[in-house]
Amino acid sequence: MGDTFPVLNPSTGEVITDVPRAGLADLDRAVAAAQAALPGWDGAAPRERSEVLRRAFELMISRRDEIAHLISLEMGKALADARAEVTYAAEFFRWFAEEAVRVDGHLRTAPSGANRILTFRRPVGVALLITPWNFPAAMATRKIGPALAAGCPVILKPAEDTPLTALFLADLLAEAGAPDGTVGVLATDRPAELVAAALADRRVRKLSFTGSTGVGRDLLRLAADRVVNASMELGGNDPFIVLDDADLGAAVDGAMLAKMRNGGQACTAANRFLVQDSVADEFAARLAAAMAALRVGPGTDERTQLGPMVNARAADRIASTVERTVAAGARTLTGGTRADGPGFFYPATVLTDVPRDAPAATTEIFGPVAPIIRVRDERDAVALANDTELGLAAYVYSGDLARGLRVAERLEFGMVGLNRGLVSDPAAPFGGVKQAGLGREGGYEGIGEYLETTYVATTW
């Protein structure tokens, strides 16, 4: 067993480089360094923490093309998507640079008049951040930004498929002025023992995880042993509702964004298209034409619109989901068959007449597959949309604003895009309900995940 593990280029299947594999000794050193840095970082002026994040934002923007190429190389997404990710990721540093100076408390009088109630907020402590591969820059900055703004040193455990972007960001933050110990990165392809040891360490007081619901449940069990403060952004089975009064051109444009951003490898990707009967055929035909027109190729090719899936397992899983859905009675309008050749590619695929209990309708696809399910009316669409334990994001298209808002209010999801195919925004609270997660990232709510409130009773 070596001390390194390979990072692959999903466009070719070839090794990019080998990365040192972090072990328990590395974890102990990282936690010790973070704990040692905590008093100084907590005690730093809010403006000082703010300026580190602001400089990190500026550095990311100045190096956007370099970071985007690295993301495309190790994750496979098209360069246009990668550049958009870098801009989005950098905005978390800018947003939380501004929030760092706005952490406040309250002073009020007890109803009895016997004392004053004084509250102030302090950092939770050393934070363990576990990020996925699909947005290797943005998922990291969305956690690092609020943690550092709040005064928490962080230890980032990136996905094994995409450690290079995380290591780049750590160097960038050091250049921006983050003190030693405040940002550590532990890359490994054997995370179970490392994460379990981290959550058992009394110096680690915060866990923030983005990933699958199944892994999230396991981490919550581990965190429960020490009652570690936990934030979770988990899986989704996101519905995209098209009602009979929708502008179908706008709905298809929104569907392409909601489905094909990052090649469909996003927790907010539209997973089920619930389309009212009277417009289902036309919507399906238009969407199939748009999907079929996408140019497939290596992520680092400027002409590419759809890159590979992140690894062979992902491509195989998507292919199996499509095959089982077609066997259940769905029809393929475009795609559905993998091409021969190197890399982990899967074509843009549209399935229609999908049964409501078919695999593509009930599981998170995490790929460029759009299953279209017919619904009778608004009530049927809402009931089917809510028939899931994964309430992350939903989308609604309707030509009647009142109707659209009425549907949005009845949806059991943390985020809803109304006549819009994109919901992510650093200034908005990102998160889900039910088994899609706990807590919120982004917005002014995001920094609160890394703060605790102390109450002082006093009289004068």
Side-chain angles (χ1 to χ4, degrees):
M1 293 179 12
D3 295 322
T4 64
F5 65 96
V7 180
L8 303 184
N9 178 347
S11 295
T12 64
E14 298 174 348
V15 175
I16 301 169
T17 189
D18 292 309
V19 172
R21 178 183 292 119
L24 295 181
D26 300 299
L27 170 66
D28 186 67
R29 283 191 291 269
V31 174
Q35 184 67 23
L38 177 59
W41 189 240
D42 174 17
R47 181 64 70 192
E48 182 180 343
R49 296 197 296 267
S50 173
E51 286 299 291
V52 169
L53 292 171
R54 182 188 60 81
R55 287 191 294 269
F57 161 76
E58 293 170 351
L59 287 170
M60 284 194 75
I61 295 301
S62 70
R63 299 177 188 175
R64 187 182 71 155
D65 287 346
E66 182 182 358
I67 302 170
H69 181 81
L70 182 60
I71 292 171
S72 291
L73 190 65
E74 69 171 343
M75 186 263 152
K77 70 176 65 181
L79 275 173
D81 272 351
R83 291 191 187 102
E85 179 186 345
V86 176
T87 301
Y88 173 57
E91 282 295 333
F92 284 104
F93 283 157
R94 177 155 69 168
W95 175 263
F96 286 108
E98 296 163 348
E99 289 299 298
V101 299
R102 298 192 179 113
V103 176
D104 56 16
H106 298 281
L107 174 65
R108 52 191 184 269
T109 302
S112 67
N115 63 279
R116 302 299 177 102
I117 297 171
L118 172 66
T119 65
F120 60 89
R121 305 172 84 191
R122 63 201 317 170
V124 172
V126 174
L128 174 66
L129 314 178
I130 304 177
T131 54
W133 49 262
N134 57 334
F135 289 90
M139 297 301 95
T141 62
R142 195 162 76 184
K143 297 178 189 300
I144 294 171
L148 292 185
C152 296
V154 303
I155 298 167
L156 174 64
K157 203 294 291 177
E160 64 187 78
D161 293 296
T162 55
L164 303 180
T165 303
L167 293 166
F168 189 103
L169 288 176
D171 287 344
L172 183 144
L173 281 158
E175 185 178 344
D180 291 346
T182 53
V183 180
V185 176
L186 297 177
T188 181
D189 58 343
R190 301 169 187 168
E193 183 181 27
L194 202 71
V195 171
L199 292 176
D201 192 317
R202 62 181 299 181
R203 297 169 294 183
V204 174
R205 291 303 313 150
K206 173 70 185 181
L207 166 66
S208 181
F209 170 75
T210 297
S212 72
T213 298
V215 174
R217 291 191 197 104
D218 292 339
L219 292 178
L220 281 171
R221 292 186 189 101
L222 290 173
D225 286 341
R226 289 185 43 252
V227 196
V228 174
N229 183 315
S231 301
M232 297 273 151
E233 194 265 284
L234 306 176
N237 188 10
D238 306 337
F240 189 104
I241 297 172
V242 182
L243 299 175
D244 56 5
D245 59 355
D247 177 333
L248 290 189
V252 169
D253 289 344
M256 289 298 290
L257 183 57
K259 175 74 265 183
M260 296 307 295
R261 179 177 177 234
N262 205 38
Q265 298 174 109
C267 55
T268 55
N271 203 62
R272 306 169 283 155
F273 290 82
L274 312 183
V275 187
Q276 206 161 343
D277 263 324
S278 61
V279 296
D281 289 338
E282 184 178 355
F283 176 83
R286 290 194 189 192
L287 181 61
M291 295 271 273
L294 293 174
R295 184 185 182 97
V296 179
T300 52
D301 187 331
E302 288 283 2
R303 300 166 297 175
T304 293
Q305 295 170 295
L306 173 61
M309 303 299 96
V310 69
N311 55 39
R313 295 187 308 278
D316 290 343
R317 177 183 46 75
I318 295 166
S320 173
T321 299
V322 170
E323 290 166 5
R324 289 182 292 125
T325 299
V326 171
R331 292 188 298 113
T332 304
L333 293 187
T334 189
T337 303
R338 296 167 69 178
D340 295 331
F344 312 128
F345 292 90
Y346 195 86
T349 298
V350 176
L351 306 175
T352 192
D353 298 330
V354 174
R356 297 186 177 197
D357 59 353
T362 56
T363 58
E364 188 172 23
I365 299 168
F366 231 69
V369 178
I372 297 174
I373 303 167
R374 294 174 180 269
V375 293
R376 295 182 297 277
D377 51 27
E378 175 185 319
R379 184 185 298 274
D380 187 31
V382 171
L384 184 56
N386 289 339
D387 187 20
T388 176
E389 286 299 321
L390 303 176
L392 186 60
Y395 304 87
V396 180
Y397 272 77
S398 170
D400 182 337
L401 180 60
R403 186 186 191 193
L405 287 170
R406 181 173 66 242
V407 170
E409 281 190 328
R410 292 161 57 197
L411 291 171
E412 298 169 356
F413 293 82
M415 300 173 286
V416 179
L418 177 54
N419 292 329
R420 181 173 171 79
L422 180 66
V423 295
S424 301
D425 191 309
F430 187 105
V433 300
K434 299 189 282 191
Q435 293 189 36
L438 301 169
R440 292 295 181 269
E441 294 185 309
Y444 65 81
E445 296 91 343
I447 197 169
E449 299 290 322
Y450 298 89
L451 293 167
E452 292 181 322
T453 298
T454 295
Y455 152 54
V456 177
T458 189
T459 303
W460 64 82

